[in-house]
């Protein structure tokens, strides 16, 4: 920290992203990226014309991408906002809507970070013992943000439970972060037509395989979308670059490809989950592209290290309640086979130790 850093930021605790090693010898199961490339339509849409057009500023509303999303979900463009990754969308949503907020004690790590950055008064609501989130534990007046499925547990709530909470108090906004929804949970997105106090946030980083592109989105009433634009146009009107606008749209237009890769992830997840159970692992009922697992014979931190020594990166959170768990992204089948092999070796080594 330099002596010049503003007093305002001296207490700030930033988010710590998962490791992105530059040599590709690791099997990377630590940041929930898709192991498959994005739709071939994305590659096809990088034309020379698009490159030449980079001399021009982007069209500031991101209307190509917005229109693709509107078509995909059967809503109007006025109900869609797009931005530079859903982390930025989340940041703008915090700025626009949240002076106070409630969220789970175990959830996406950016919520506490943004609460700190934007001086939002946060109330952490403990998950139940089995890591389930119960909205009855949340008060009826404070805005709520939740990841559904939750991270890093992968547990999903059904839309009717969330709808009940929306109806409880229509003056209070509920923000649902659906980064992982395409891997087997049910989306609350159709509810934006009925409920003006619902904002749904999505990303192309997971199910569309575009984490490197940085394209995120929000869905809600046209008035909520206007509020997000108020923040955006007060901060960076060109947050969505020209290529992202075109490439993200191409990915979204290829619905079949997305459904295909999600199906592949789900079937790999089912298989690996079963095998891990047979090896004595405890795990949550994950509807995301990762598993959240622990084994009573080996500590989370040590497991992380041993996997790393065997060339496999997974994610460990060194914090109470979950420090015995590992979050393991679902990779390709052969990557997961190598992961299983390493797990078996480690369990054997522990037995003989
Ligand atoms: C990965 C993730 C995001 C961030 O996605 P980007 O669009 O890549 O910024 C947001 N929320 C949750 C819960 C995530 O896991």
């Amino acid at each position: 920290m330099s002596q010049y850093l503003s007093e305002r930021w001296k207490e700030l605790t930033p988010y710590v992203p998962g490791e992105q090693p530059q040599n590709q010898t690791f099997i990377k199961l630590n940041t929930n990226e898709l192991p498959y490339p994005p739709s071939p339509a994305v590659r096809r849409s990088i034309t020379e014309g698009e490159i030449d057009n980079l001399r021009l500023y982007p069209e500031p509303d991101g209307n190509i991408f917005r229109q693709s999303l509107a078509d995909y979900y059967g809503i109007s463009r006025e109900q869609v906002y797009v931005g530079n990754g859903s982390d930025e969308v989340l940041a703008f949503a915090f700025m626009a809507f949240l002076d106070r907020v409630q969220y789970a004690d175990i959830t996406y790590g950016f919520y506490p970070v943004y609460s700190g950055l934007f001086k939002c008064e946060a109330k952490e609501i403990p998950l139940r013992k089995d890591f389930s989130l119960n909205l009855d534990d949340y008060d009826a007046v404070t805005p709520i943000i939740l990841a559904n499925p939750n991270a890093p547990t992968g547990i999903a709530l059904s839309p009717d439970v969330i709808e009940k909470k929306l109806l409880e108090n229509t003056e209070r906004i509920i923000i649902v972060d659906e980064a992982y929804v395409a891997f087997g949970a049910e989306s609350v997105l159709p509810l934006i037509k009925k409920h003006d106090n619902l904002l749904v946030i999505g990303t192309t980083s997971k199910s569309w395989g575009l984490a490197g592109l940085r394209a995120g989105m929000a869905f809600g009433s046209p008035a909520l979308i206007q509020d997000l634009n108020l923040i955006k146009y007060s901060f960076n009107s060109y947050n969505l670059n020209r290529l992202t606008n075109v490439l993200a749209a191409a990915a979204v237009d290829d619905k079949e490809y997305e459904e295909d890769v999600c199906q592949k992830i789900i079937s790999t997840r089912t298989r690996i989950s079963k095998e891990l159970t047979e090896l004595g692992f405890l795990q949550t009922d994950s509807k995301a592209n990762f598993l959240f697992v622990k084994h009573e014979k080996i500590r989370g931190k040590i497991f992380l290290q041993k996997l790393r020594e065997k060339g496999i990166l997974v994610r460990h959170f060194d914090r109470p309640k979950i420090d015995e768990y590992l979050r393991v992204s679902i990779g390709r089948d052969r990557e997961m086979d190598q992961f299983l092999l390493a797990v078996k070796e480690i369990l054997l080594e522990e037995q003989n130790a």
Side-chain angles (χ1 to χ4, degrees):
M1 185 185 299
S2 82
Q3 61 179 303
Y4 308 106
L5 181 70
S6 160
E7 279 299 327
R8 276 183 294 170
W9 309 129
K10 291 199 168 149
E11 301 297 316
L12 204 59
T13 317
Y15 181 75
V16 183
E19 189 183 353
Q20 293 291 353
Q22 292 314 304
N23 80 50
Q24 284 302 313
T25 54
F26 281 106
I27 294 181
K28 205 171 165 305
L29 308 177
N30 68 332
T31 50
N32 299 340
E33 291 137 329
L34 199 71
Y36 306 107
S39 155
V42 171
R43 182 184 309 223
R44 285 197 299 271
S45 54
I46 307 177
T47 61
E48 267 177 49
E50 291 300 339
I51 304 295
D52 289 350
N53 279 341
L54 286 176
R55 69 190 179 80
L56 301 170
Y57 279 106
E59 178 268 299
D61 285 326
N63 276 327
I64 303 173
F65 182 28
R66 278 174 89 199
Q67 190 59 54
S68 290
L69 290 166
D71 295 344
Y72 184 99
Y73 292 109
I75 53 180
S76 80
R77 207 160 69 187
E78 287 62 45
Q79 293 166 301
V80 183
Y81 170 85
V82 294
N84 189 329
S86 65
D87 287 338
E88 189 199 65
V89 181
L90 283 165
F92 288 0
F94 263 81
M95 276 193 255
F97 305 114
L98 304 181
D99 300 315
R100 299 183 306 143
V101 69
Q102 329 176 60
Y103 50 72
D105 62 340
I106 295 163
T107 188
Y108 187 43
F110 246 121
Y111 307 156
V113 172
Y114 287 144
S115 295
L117 180 60
F118 301 120
K119 302 276 179 276
C120 163
E121 196 185 307
K123 201 160 111 185
E124 292 198 356
I125 314 293
L127 294 180
R128 299 285 175 97
K129 267 225 164 62
D130 59 358
F131 293 128
S132 62
L133 188 156
N134 192 323
L135 285 174
D136 294 339
D137 301 341
Y138 291 63
D139 75 49
V141 290
T142 314
I144 297 173
I145 185 163
L146 69 144
N148 192 44
N150 197 10
T153 65
I155 299 174
L157 291 180
S158 77
D160 47 297
V161 175
I162 296 171
E163 184 168 32
K164 203 175 119 212
K165 206 68 185 171
L166 287 165
L167 287 165
E168 180 183 61
N169 174 2
T170 56
E171 316 255 296
R172 176 266 305 278
I173 190 168
I174 298 184
I175 300 175
V176 183
D177 177 354
E178 293 193 341
Y180 300 104
V181 79
F183 301 107
E186 198 184 334
S187 176
V188 293
L189 202 142
L191 297 180
I192 63 163
K193 296 172 188 167
K194 280 200 278 177
H195 301 286
D196 288 346
N197 57 336
L198 171 63
L199 186 76
V200 181
I201 293 182
T203 177
T204 60
S205 296
K206 313 282 163 54
S207 55
W208 275 288
L210 291 174
L213 193 65
R214 312 308 302 133
M217 51 270 196
F219 308 95
S221 73
L224 289 181
I225 302 308
Q226 274 173 20
D227 295 343
L228 286 174
N229 276 317
L230 173 73
I231 304 295
K232 166 193 159 127
Y233 284 98
S234 307
F235 183 80
N236 177 8
S237 38
Y238 300 123
N239 59 340
L240 199 83
N241 70 70
R242 288 190 82 92
L243 283 176
T244 301
N245 193 11
V246 172
L247 304 195
V252 170
D253 288 343
D254 192 353
K255 192 168 185 161
E256 204 174 310
Y257 183 87
E258 189 222 6
E259 286 172 356
D260 251 30
V261 290
C262 289
Q263 213 42 60
K264 272 203 268 193
I265 295 291
I266 291 169
S267 79
T268 307
R269 180 183 73 208
T270 308
R271 178 172 75 86
I272 301 305
S273 162
K274 208 166 138 238
E275 299 230 29
L276 289 173
T277 301
E278 280 163 19
L279 290 172
F281 279 86
L282 290 180
Q283 55 193 306
T284 54
D285 177 21
S286 174
K287 296 280 188 273
N289 65 338
F290 54 80
L291 292 168
F292 193 55
V293 303
K294 78 165 178 181
H295 198 287
E296 57 180 15
K297 293 277 162 55
I298 178 156
R299 320 222 53 174
K301 218 171 176 167
I302 292 171
F303 219 142
L304 171 82
Q305 242 159 10
K306 296 206 159 204
L307 282 167
R308 196 189 162 86
E309 284 160 20
K310 294 179 186 293
I312 297 169
L313 297 182
V314 299
R315 192 89 199 253
H316 173 258
F317 300 92
D318 203 0
R319 46 170 302 179
K321 292 192 190 179
I322 56 170
D323 55 350
E324 295 305 338
Y325 279 80
L326 294 181
R327 190 195 68 192
V328 184
S329 309
I330 302 297
R332 290 173 185 259
D333 277 304
R334 65 178 144 79
E335 293 175 313
M336 299 316 285
D337 289 339
Q338 279 178 270
F339 165 74
L340 279 179
L341 202 66
V343 165
K344 286 175 191 164
E345 282 172 13
I346 293 167
L347 288 175
L348 219 65
E349 286 162 22
E350 282 306 293
Q351 243 167 36
N352 299 336

